[in-house]
Amino acid sequence: MSTETSAQRLAALYREGQAFWSSPAGQAVRHAERACLGPACERLFGVHSLELGFGDLLADMCPVRHPLSWAPTRELAETSSTLVCAPDALPLPDDSLSLVVVHHLLEVAPDPHHMLQEAARVTADEGRLILFGWMPFSAGGMGRLSPARRRALPWRGQWRAPGRLRDWLAFVDFEIERVDYCAFHLPGRLPRNTLFETLGRRHNLPLGDSYMIQACRRPQLIQSRGSRLRFTAPLGGSALGAARLNADAEAPREGACHKQRRPALE
Protein backbone atom coordinates (compact mmCIF):
# COMPACT_ATOMS: atom_id res chain seq x y z
CA MET A 1 0.00 0.00 0.00
CA SER A 2 1.43 3.37 -0.99
CA THR A 3 1.85 6.21 1.48
CA GLU A 4 -0.64 8.29 -0.48
CA THR A 5 -3.26 5.56 -0.33
CA SER A 6 -2.68 5.08 3.40
CA ALA A 7 -3.13 8.81 4.01
CA GLN A 8 -6.31 8.85 1.94
CA ARG A 9 -7.78 5.94 3.85
CA LEU A 10 -6.88 7.56 7.17
CA ALA A 11 -8.45 10.82 5.98
CA ALA A 12 -11.70 9.02 5.07
CA LEU A 13 -11.72 7.29 8.47
CA TYR A 14 -11.02 10.61 10.19
CA ARG A 15 -13.98 12.30 8.46
CA GLU A 16 -16.25 9.41 9.39
CA GLY A 17 -15.09 9.68 12.99
CA GLN A 18 -15.75 13.42 13.03
CA ALA A 19 -19.29 12.78 11.77
CA PHE A 20 -19.98 10.32 14.60
CA TRP A 21 -18.55 12.49 17.38
CA SER A 22 -20.59 15.48 16.20
CA SER A 23 -23.83 13.40 16.23
CA PRO A 24 -26.17 13.30 19.27
CA ALA A 25 -24.92 9.80 20.18
CA GLY A 26 -21.27 10.88 19.92
CA GLN A 27 -21.85 14.05 21.90
CA ALA A 28 -23.59 12.09 24.68
CA VAL A 29 -20.62 9.71 25.01
CA ARG A 30 -18.17 12.60 24.80
CA HIS A 31 -19.94 14.40 27.66
CA ALA A 32 -19.75 11.27 29.84
CA GLU A 33 -16.06 10.75 29.00
CA ARG A 34 -15.18 14.35 29.84
CA ALA A 35 -16.75 13.80 33.24
CA CYS A 36 -14.49 10.75 33.72
CA LEU A 37 -11.42 12.63 32.55
CA GLY A 38 -11.99 15.73 34.65
CA PRO A 39 -10.75 14.37 38.02
CA ALA A 40 -7.70 12.81 36.35
CA CYS A 41 -6.81 16.12 34.69
CA GLU A 42 -6.65 17.87 38.04
CA ARG A 43 -3.44 15.96 38.76
CA LEU A 44 -1.83 16.40 35.33
CA PHE A 45 0.53 19.29 34.69
CA GLY A 46 3.16 19.92 32.04
CA VAL A 47 4.17 21.80 28.94
CA HIS A 48 3.13 19.62 25.99
CA SER A 49 0.33 17.10 25.42
CA LEU A 50 -1.02 15.23 22.40
CA GLU A 51 -4.47 13.82 21.68
CA LEU A 52 -4.91 11.18 18.99
CA GLY A 53 -8.54 10.88 17.97
CA PHE A 54 -11.27 12.01 15.59
CA GLY A 55 -13.25 14.60 17.53
CA ASP A 56 -12.47 17.91 19.19
CA LEU A 57 -9.94 17.88 22.02
CA LEU A 58 -11.34 15.99 24.97
CA ALA A 59 -8.55 16.90 27.41
CA ASP A 60 -8.66 20.65 26.80
CA MET A 61 -9.53 21.19 30.46
CA CYS A 62 -6.19 19.72 31.59
CA PRO A 63 -3.65 22.29 32.90
CA VAL A 64 -1.10 21.55 30.16
CA ARG A 65 0.23 24.74 28.57
CA HIS A 66 0.52 23.56 24.96
CA PRO A 67 -1.95 20.87 23.82
CA LEU A 68 -1.50 19.33 20.37
CA SER A 69 -4.25 17.79 18.30
CA TRP A 70 -3.73 15.33 15.46
CA ALA A 71 -4.82 14.94 11.83
CA PRO A 72 -3.70 12.49 9.13
CA THR A 73 -3.50 15.15 6.37
CA ARG A 74 -2.82 18.87 6.10
CA GLU A 75 -6.34 19.53 4.77
CA LEU A 76 -7.89 18.15 7.95
CA ALA A 77 -5.70 20.20 10.32
CA GLU A 78 -8.01 22.72 11.98
CA THR A 79 -5.57 24.66 14.19
CA SER A 80 -1.96 25.78 14.17
CA SER A 81 -1.25 23.23 16.93
CA THR A 82 -2.12 20.18 14.86
CA LEU A 83 0.36 17.36 14.34
CA VAL A 84 0.03 16.04 10.77
CA CYS A 85 1.38 12.51 10.43
CA ALA A 86 0.51 8.83 10.53
CA PRO A 87 -0.53 7.86 14.08
CA ASP A 88 2.14 5.14 14.23
CA ALA A 89 4.99 7.47 13.18
CA LEU A 90 4.96 10.52 15.45
CA PRO A 91 7.64 13.10 14.51
CA LEU A 92 8.39 13.87 18.17
CA PRO A 93 11.34 13.16 20.48
CA ASP A 94 11.29 10.43 23.11
CA ASP A 95 9.77 11.37 26.49
CA SER A 96 8.68 14.80 25.25
CA LEU A 97 5.02 14.93 26.32
CA SER A 98 3.45 15.20 29.75
CA LEU A 99 0.16 13.72 28.57
CA VAL A 100 -0.83 11.54 25.61
CA VAL A 101 -4.50 10.70 25.02
CA VAL A 102 -5.52 7.98 22.55
CA HIS A 103 -9.26 8.43 22.05
CA HIS A 104 -11.04 5.43 20.47
CA LEU A 105 -8.35 5.04 17.84
CA LEU A 106 -6.85 1.67 18.79
CA GLU A 107 -10.03 -0.05 17.58
CA VAL A 108 -9.68 1.17 13.98
CA ALA A 109 -6.03 2.20 13.52
CA PRO A 110 -4.27 0.36 10.65
CA ASP A 111 -1.40 -0.62 12.96
CA PRO A 112 -2.62 -0.36 16.58
CA HIS A 113 0.45 -2.07 18.09
CA HIS A 114 2.93 0.40 16.62
CA MET A 115 0.61 3.31 17.36
CA LEU A 116 0.59 2.36 21.03
CA GLN A 117 4.38 1.95 20.96
CA GLU A 118 4.70 5.46 19.52
CA ALA A 119 2.32 6.91 22.10
CA ALA A 120 4.35 5.27 24.89
CA ARG A 121 7.64 6.38 23.38
CA VAL A 122 6.78 10.09 23.42
CA THR A 123 5.24 9.99 26.93
CA ALA A 124 7.63 11.33 29.57
CA ASP A 125 8.64 9.17 32.53
CA GLU A 126 6.61 11.37 34.86
CA GLY A 127 3.78 11.76 32.32
CA ARG A 128 0.56 9.86 31.77
CA LEU A 129 -0.82 7.83 28.89
CA ILE A 130 -4.63 7.77 28.77
CA LEU A 131 -6.52 5.35 26.53
CA PHE A 132 -10.24 5.51 25.75
CA GLY A 133 -11.84 2.38 24.31
CA TRP A 134 -15.20 0.74 23.72
CA MET A 135 -16.37 -2.01 26.05
CA PRO A 136 -17.13 -5.17 24.03
CA PHE A 137 -19.85 -6.31 26.46
CA SER A 138 -22.03 -3.26 27.05
CA ALA A 139 -25.38 -1.84 25.98
CA GLY A 140 -23.66 -0.06 23.09
CA GLY A 141 -21.72 -3.19 22.21
CA MET A 142 -24.98 -4.97 21.46
CA GLY A 143 -25.20 -2.87 18.31
CA ARG A 144 -22.24 -4.83 16.93
CA LEU A 145 -24.45 -7.92 16.66
CA SER A 146 -25.75 -6.48 13.40
CA PRO A 147 -23.31 -7.14 10.51
CA ALA A 148 -24.53 -4.00 8.75
CA ARG A 149 -23.70 -1.81 11.74
CA ARG A 150 -20.23 -3.27 12.09
CA ARG A 151 -19.27 -1.62 8.82
CA ALA A 152 -19.72 1.87 10.32
CA LEU A 153 -18.26 3.79 13.25
CA PRO A 154 -18.30 3.41 16.16
CA TRP A 155 -19.12 -0.31 15.80
CA ARG A 156 -16.39 -0.99 13.25
CA GLY A 157 -13.00 -2.39 14.17
CA GLN A 158 -11.70 -4.54 17.00
CA TRP A 159 -13.10 -3.76 20.44
CA ARG A 160 -10.77 -4.86 23.24
CA ALA A 161 -11.44 -5.11 26.97
CA PRO A 162 -9.09 -3.34 29.43
CA GLY A 163 -7.53 -6.68 30.39
CA ARG A 164 -6.27 -7.15 26.85
CA LEU A 165 -4.75 -3.68 26.79
CA ARG A 166 -3.03 -4.40 30.10
CA ASP A 167 -0.89 -6.92 28.20
CA TRP A 168 -0.27 -4.44 25.38
CA LEU A 169 0.83 -1.76 27.85
CA ALA A 170 3.16 -4.18 29.65
CA PHE A 171 4.81 -4.83 26.27
CA VAL A 172 5.73 -1.11 26.03
CA ASP A 173 6.85 -0.97 29.70
CA PHE A 174 3.73 0.77 31.00
CA GLU A 175 1.30 -0.34 33.69
CA ILE A 176 -2.31 0.52 34.41
CA GLU A 177 -2.90 2.82 37.37
CA ARG A 178 -6.68 2.93 37.12
CA VAL A 179 -9.59 1.99 34.85
CA ASP A 180 -12.77 4.07 34.88
CA TYR A 181 -16.01 3.17 33.13
CA CYS A 182 -18.43 5.72 31.69
CA ALA A 183 -21.42 6.23 29.36
CA PHE A 184 -24.01 4.09 31.17
CA HIS A 185 -27.46 3.60 29.61
CA LEU A 186 -30.15 1.10 28.73
CA PRO A 187 -30.05 -0.63 25.32
CA GLY A 188 -31.46 1.60 22.61
CA ARG A 189 -31.04 4.78 24.69
CA LEU A 190 -28.37 7.45 24.68
CA PRO A 191 -26.08 7.75 27.74
CA ARG A 192 -27.85 10.82 29.08
CA ASN A 193 -29.45 9.39 32.20
CA THR A 194 -27.86 11.22 35.13
CA LEU A 195 -28.93 8.56 37.65
CA PHE A 196 -27.37 5.71 35.65
CA GLU A 197 -24.17 7.67 35.11
CA THR A 198 -23.92 8.66 38.78
CA LEU A 199 -24.45 5.13 40.07
CA GLY A 200 -22.22 3.53 37.46
CA ARG A 201 -19.32 5.88 38.10
CA ARG A 202 -19.75 5.81 41.88
CA HIS A 203 -19.33 2.04 41.93
CA ASN A 204 -17.13 1.98 38.80
CA LEU A 205 -19.18 -0.78 37.22
CA PRO A 206 -17.76 -2.35 34.03
CA LEU A 207 -21.10 -1.85 32.27
CA GLY A 208 -20.54 1.46 30.51
CA ASP A 209 -20.12 1.84 26.77
CA SER A 210 -16.55 3.06 27.16
CA TYR A 211 -13.61 2.97 29.53
CA MET A 212 -10.69 5.21 30.36
CA ILE A 213 -7.31 3.67 31.21
CA GLN A 214 -4.71 5.75 33.04
CA ALA A 215 -1.23 4.30 32.57
CA CYS A 216 2.31 5.28 33.52
CA ARG A 217 5.77 3.93 32.91
CA ARG A 218 6.80 1.12 35.23
CA PRO A 219 8.55 2.67 38.24
CA GLN A 220 11.51 0.28 38.13
CA LEU A 221 12.30 1.45 34.58
CA ILE A 222 12.47 5.14 35.47
CA GLN A 223 16.12 5.96 36.06
CA SER A 224 17.91 9.15 36.89
CA ARG A 225 19.17 10.62 33.64
CA GLY A 226 20.96 13.73 32.51
CA SER A 227 19.53 16.54 30.41
CA ARG A 228 16.93 15.23 28.02
CA LEU A 229 16.14 16.22 24.45
CA ARG A 230 13.66 19.07 24.64
CA PHE A 231 11.88 21.53 22.42
CA THR A 232 13.61 24.84 21.69
CA ALA A 233 10.25 26.51 21.04
CA PRO A 234 6.56 25.63 21.49
CA LEU A 235 5.42 23.10 18.93
CA GLY A 236 3.04 24.43 16.33
CA GLY A 237 2.12 24.67 12.71
CA SER A 238 -0.60 22.71 10.97
CA ALA A 239 2.00 20.96 8.84
CA LEU A 240 4.31 20.08 11.72
CA GLY A 241 6.61 17.39 10.43
CA ALA A 242 9.50 17.13 12.89
CA ALA A 243 10.26 18.75 16.23
CA ARG A 244 13.41 20.85 16.64
CA LEU A 245 15.69 19.83 19.49
CA ASN A 246 18.28 21.63 21.54
CA ALA A 247 21.65 21.00 19.96
CA ASP A 248 23.39 21.06 23.32
CA ALA A 249 21.33 18.32 24.94
CA GLU A 250 23.60 15.91 26.74
CA ALA A 251 23.88 12.31 25.65
CA PRO A 252 22.22 9.81 27.99
CA ARG A 253 24.37 8.78 30.89
CA GLU A 254 25.92 5.34 30.97
CA GLY A 255 23.39 2.80 32.12
CA ALA A 256 20.42 4.91 31.06
CA CYS A 257 17.38 3.16 29.72
CA HIS A 258 17.28 3.31 25.91
CA LYS A 259 13.96 2.95 24.07
CA GLN A 260 13.82 1.07 20.81
CA ARG A 261 10.93 0.27 18.52
CA ARG A 262 9.83 -3.26 19.32
CA PRO A 263 8.34 -5.78 16.97
CA ALA A 264 4.57 -5.85 16.94
CA LEU A 265 2.66 -8.13 19.26
CA GLU A 266 1.32 -11.27 17.71
Side-chain angles (χ1 to χ4, degrees), residues 83-252:
L83 191 69
V84 176
C85 62
D88 60 349
L90 304 178
L92 298 172
D94 293 357
D95 312 318
S96 55
L97 304 177
S98 304
L99 170 65
V100 177
V101 178
V102 180
H103 186 254
H104 295 288
L105 195 54
L106 284 174
E107 292 93 340
V108 292
D111 194 341
H113 300 108
H114 282 154
M115 189 185 74
L116 183 61
Q117 288 180 38
E118 281 290 273
R121 177 184 66 81
V122 300
T123 303
D125 286 344
E126 67 279 4
R128 290 297 180 273
L129 176 59
I130 293 181
L131 309 177
F132 283 93
W134 298 110
M135 279 293 290
F137 308 105
S138 64
M142 294 178 64
R144 305 186 78 232
L145 298 177
S146 167
R149 273 195 166 188
R150 295 187 71 165
R151 292 194 291 267
L153 290 180
W155 301 280
R156 191 196 308 178
Q158 182 69 42
W159 290 19
R160 303 173 182 90
R164 177 72 181 278
L165 293 184
R166 184 184 302 274
D167 297 334
W168 286 30
L169 287 164
F171 186 75
V172 294
D173 300 328
F174 270 67
E175 63 182 12
I176 292 179
E177 287 186 313
R178 179 179 173 87
V179 179
D180 290 283
Y181 302 94
C182 43
F184 299 88
H185 65 100
L186 293 175
R189 303 290 183 88
L190 295 181
R192 288 176 173 169
N193 188 299
T194 303
L195 177 60
F196 285 173
E197 194 70 21
T198 299
L199 291 176
R201 290 190 57 209
R202 177 180 298 168
H203 301 287
N204 205 22
L205 301 174
L207 302 175
D209 275 2
S210 66
Y211 56 83
M212 180 185 75
I213 293 176
Q214 299 181 55
C216 64
R217 199 175 306 281
R218 289 177 174 175
Q220 63 267 29
L221 297 177
I222 300 176
Q223 302 183 18
S224 177
R225 286 178 273 188
S227 298
R228 309 297 297 279
L229 296 176
R230 57 190 182 276
F231 299 112
T232 57
L235 291 172
S238 60
L240 179 63
R244 289 191 296 124
L245 307 177
N246 275 359
D248 61 348
E250 295 179 8

